Amino acid sequence: MQVTAQIRSMPTACSGCGSQTSTIVATGRDYIYHGTEDNFRYVRCDGCGHFYLNPRPDISQLSLMYPANYGTFSNRFQGRANLLGRIKTIVNRKRLKGVVAHLPSGGRVLDVGCGNGELLIALRQARPDLELFGLDWHFPVETRNSLESQGIGLIEAPLEAAELPTQPFDFIIMLQLIEHLWEPEESLRRLVRALANDGRLLIETPNTDGWDRRLFAGGAWGGYYFPRHLNLYSFERLAELLHRVGLAVESQRNLPAPLIWIYSLQGAVQARFGWKSSLTKIFGVKNIPLIAAFAFLDIAAIAMRFKTSNQQAISRKV
């Protein structure tokens, strides 16, 4: 497999408290897309305990970090293309059902990091009255045409630089997105300004307190997702961040994290045997029985009050 040139990275400070001192907690490579042979490292802030990638890629390296075959840009998870995509859409719709049901008629919804727009299409089918918008740094032509044909407005830019509509949103969704942001706090402040009074923000993101992270903590844990996950949060650190930007946390809960299990196993195999190992294919995202097994494992862990590697937070503008 051809790998890209070296990704340009720069040292950074903690986005939680600004501290320059930290302790290395994990090192690893791009085990999923093999876009570079660079080694990356995750650190824990000595001041506040925040986890972040340091050094981190420069924002100009987006096209190297997110290649053309990146999952949410391709048909890798598309519902029409495979069973995993359909399951993913059903699960996301169930998680959002309670919040969406309470949106006013004609309510405005923004999906930040919407990828191929599957969730927006599902929302269009469930609530045709809603005004829907999707934001991502890049939309392939096929994706753009598909979403715009259904009346979904698109904002093509990194969140850090995006021009958001002046009319406020009733509901903003960030599924597995905040961990990709270079400036998470400032980006959240921008979204809070774009929320209507009493509008809600839903975030799903990896949880550094997940019980399985300890099994792969040295670098293979799928939540690190080198080099794309720049900041990672526990329940406590995420709640602190939401409070700082003017949001009141209404609920936080653990969610199953089967894909993180899959990525963890892929990373562990590649770290030991190389990325060409046939075992990598066994632990792939198309192995539905294995994904189902890890989903049930995490469901059982949640029932026993264990913390998983995926979390959801719903907060309200105050």
Side-chain angles (χ1 to χ4, degrees):
M1 180 179 292
Q2 185 81 26
V3 296
T4 69
Q6 185 178 32
I7 290 180
R8 184 166 64 252
S9 298
M10 306 197 52
T12 186
C14 172
S15 66
C17 69
S19 173
Q20 299 278 353
T21 61
S22 60
T23 301
I24 297 173
V25 295
T27 58
R29 294 183 174 185
D30 182 358
Y31 296 122
I32 310 303
Y33 292 97
H34 312 104
T36 175
E37 291 185 334
D38 294 349
N39 283 302
F40 299 93
R41 67 184 190 189
Y42 240 90
V43 302
R44 181 193 293 112
C45 174
D46 292 340
C48 68
H50 179 58
F51 279 59
Y52 62 103
L53 194 66
N54 190 26
R56 67 181 183 185
D58 187 81
I59 197 169
S60 65
Q61 306 295 288
L62 275 170
S63 61
L64 299 181
M65 298 168 64
Y66 300 93
N69 66 332
Y70 184 67
T72 57
F73 295 155
S74 68
N75 66 359
R76 188 181 188 191
F77 297 115
Q78 282 184 338
R80 294 177 182 175
N82 57 60
L83 178 60
L84 178 60
R86 289 192 290 272
I87 293 172
K88 181 170 175 278
T89 299
I90 291 169
V91 169
N92 284 335
R93 286 181 67 173
K94 282 190 66 175
R95 290 177 183 167
L96 296 177
K97 186 176 180 180
V99 179
V100 172
H102 291 92
L103 288 175
S105 178
R108 291 165 54 86
V109 178
L110 172 65
D111 184 359
V112 182
C114 65
N116 59 27
E118 275 188 319
L119 183 58
L120 289 167
I121 292 172
L123 289 174
R124 168 64 72 225
Q125 294 168 351
R127 287 284 305 271
D129 61 293
L130 296 176
E131 287 191 65
L132 302 178
F133 296 81
L135 184 154
D136 219 312
W137 77 274
H138 170 64
F139 290 106
V141 174
E142 182 180 353
T143 298
R144 173 175 286 279
N145 291 340
S146 172
L147 297 180
E148 289 183 340
S149 70
Q150 300 197 48
I152 297 171
L154 300 182
I155 305 167
E156 187 170 13
L159 175 56
E160 291 88 344
E163 292 187 17
L164 300 177
T166 55
Q167 188 174 349
F169 294 100
D170 300 287
F171 186 37
I172 296 179
I173 305 164
M174 295 178 69
L175 302 186
Q176 311 302 325
L177 186 281
I178 191 172
E179 63 273 13
H180 293 260
L181 298 177
W182 274 263
E183 302 296 338
E185 184 165 336
E186 179 53 35
S187 295
L188 282 182
R189 291 187 186 280
R190 300 190 73 219
L191 293 180
V192 170
R193 290 194 291 270
L195 269 177
N197 292 333
D198 284 332
R200 283 168 173 78
L201 172 69
L202 182 147
I203 290 178
E204 292 183 6
T205 187
N207 180 9
T208 54
D209 284 343
W211 71 279
D212 54 296
R213 189 181 71 84
R214 294 188 292 273
L215 303 177
F216 305 97
W221 181 56
Y224 294 132
Y225 205 47
F226 301 110
R228 286 162 284 274
H229 285 183
L230 308 181
N231 293 277
L232 291 171
Y233 300 88
S234 64
F235 269 36
E236 292 75 18
R237 290 194 301 274
L238 182 58
E240 289 169 0
L241 173 60
L242 294 171
H243 177 74
R244 285 202 304 272
V245 301
L247 293 166
V249 177
E250 294 188 326
S251 67
Q252 281 186 283
R253 61 172 175 150
N254 292 286
L255 299 173
L259 286 182
I260 287 185
W261 276 102
I262 291 292
Y263 292 153
S264 296
L265 291 172
Q266 286 186 16
V269 167
Q270 292 177 52
R272 183 171 178 83
F273 302 109
W275 63 263
K276 292 184 178 181
S277 170
S278 59
L279 289 174
T280 300
K281 295 181 179 179
I282 297 175
F283 302 124
V285 295
K286 294 183 179 181
N287 190 332
I288 302 300
L290 189 60
I291 288 175
F294 284 127
F296 283 118
L297 179 62
D298 270 352
I299 289 170
I302 292 169
M304 294 186 289
R305 300 186 180 279
F306 282 87
K307 293 181 179 178
T308 62
S309 287
N310 195 15
Q311 61 174 310
Q312 180 192 84
I314 299 176
S315 54
R316 178 176 53 87
K317 183 174 180 177
V318 293

